[in-house]
Amino acid sequence: MSADIDQLALIVDEAALEARGVEQLTIQNPELTPAEGYEIQARAFSMRLARGEKQVGIKMGLTSRAKMIQVNVSEVIWGRLTDAMRVEDGGKIDRKRYVHPRVEPEVAFLLKRALSGEVSPAEAMLAVAGVAPAMEIIDSRFNDFKFTLPDVVADNASSSGFVIGPWTEPGADLTNRGMVMEFDGRPVQIGSTAAILGDPVRSLVAAARMVGKAGLELKPGWIVMAGAATAAQPLVPGVYVRNTVEGLGSVAFFVGAA
Ligand code: OOG
Ligand code: MG
């Protein structure tokens, strides 16, 4: 193998810790593959766990056309979530902890059973304890938010934080729920859950398949973020951010003044 996985993991981990933009890994390592990207992600994640963080789920990324177009990467990807990345619903984030944060309107699943490998949408839904309106704070550690597929995978799929609203029992169809994300009450992104692979449950199916391929499973109690329904919106200091999903309610947080 050409790339030094440990050394590249250290670069993305330190960049995230210090909220400092770094050069894309593929500039020095043009041969880097997506599979190596996932190895780097896993290695960097083990550094977070060694600091005491606990895995609480995963995030799916690039599950909508709007997102693929925004970052010019056309593959569904996944990353890992820890307890330290969670922002309380209605809570406040400190802008200084991020390089160039953006926020995305999402929905989240809470699992009551393990899932791994090939499952049908119906099987996936049987493992779901709740669905919730959610937002993800993404913050690519790469300069100018520019990356290729192996880079963004190595960088934990840009994940930096997540906010979960009230859980609703699953059951009702999730295919075409309107979503509105507002900054101080002004709509900044408007979309539908249909933009997420046609139905967010397909994102959960893809999550089970992708972690299964990595020899892992989605665990009971975990959260799975389905991916953004719209393009991500750059965060602004001092703003109140809210995402409302039709039939599921709202989730919100504040950005501290700069
Ligand atoms: C990659 C992560 C994309 C989503 O919800 O589509 C993502 C990025 O845009 O930096 O989280
Ligand atoms: Mg996302």
Side-chain angles (χ1 to χ4, degrees), residues 171-196:
D173 183 33
L174 285 177
T175 20
N176 191 10
R177 306 293 187 98
M179 296 170 84
V180 182
M181 190 165 72
E182 298 157 295
F183 279 10
D184 290 335
R186 180 176 50 87
V188 289
Q189 293 289 342
I190 298 173
S192 160
T193 54
I196 305 165

Side-chain angles (χ1 to χ4, degrees), residues 93-205:
I93 65 161
D94 180 358
R95 172 68 184 78
K96 287 191 283 299
R97 287 186 43 222
Y98 304 86
V99 185
H100 36 210
R102 298 177 177 177
V103 59
E104 303 177 320
E106 305 209 8
V107 291
F109 294 101
L110 177 65
L111 298 185
K112 60 183 175 192
R113 287 191 213 152
L115 277 176
S116 183
E118 295 297 331
V119 294
S120 68
E123 284 166 338
M125 279 317 286
L126 284 176
V128 172
V131 293
M135 286 184 279
E136 187 182 19
I137 300 162
I138 56 168
D139 191 31
S140 175
R141 269 55 67 162
F142 300 119
N143 294 332
D144 305 320
F145 227 108
K146 287 215 178 88
F147 42 72
T148 64
L149 176 61
D151 292 309
V152 67
V153 165
D155 184 30
N156 202 21
S158 306
S159 197
S160 191
F162 63 97
V163 202
I164 308 281
W167 293 110
T168 297
E169 297 242 340
D173 183 33
L174 285 177
T175 20
N176 191 10
R177 306 293 187 98
M179 296 170 84
V180 182
M181 190 165 72
E182 298 157 295
F183 279 10
D184 290 335
R186 180 176 50 87
V188 289
Q189 293 289 342
I190 298 173
S192 160
T193 54
I196 305 165
L197 296 176
D199 179 343
V201 74
R202 295 213 183 107
S203 179
L204 183 56
V205 167

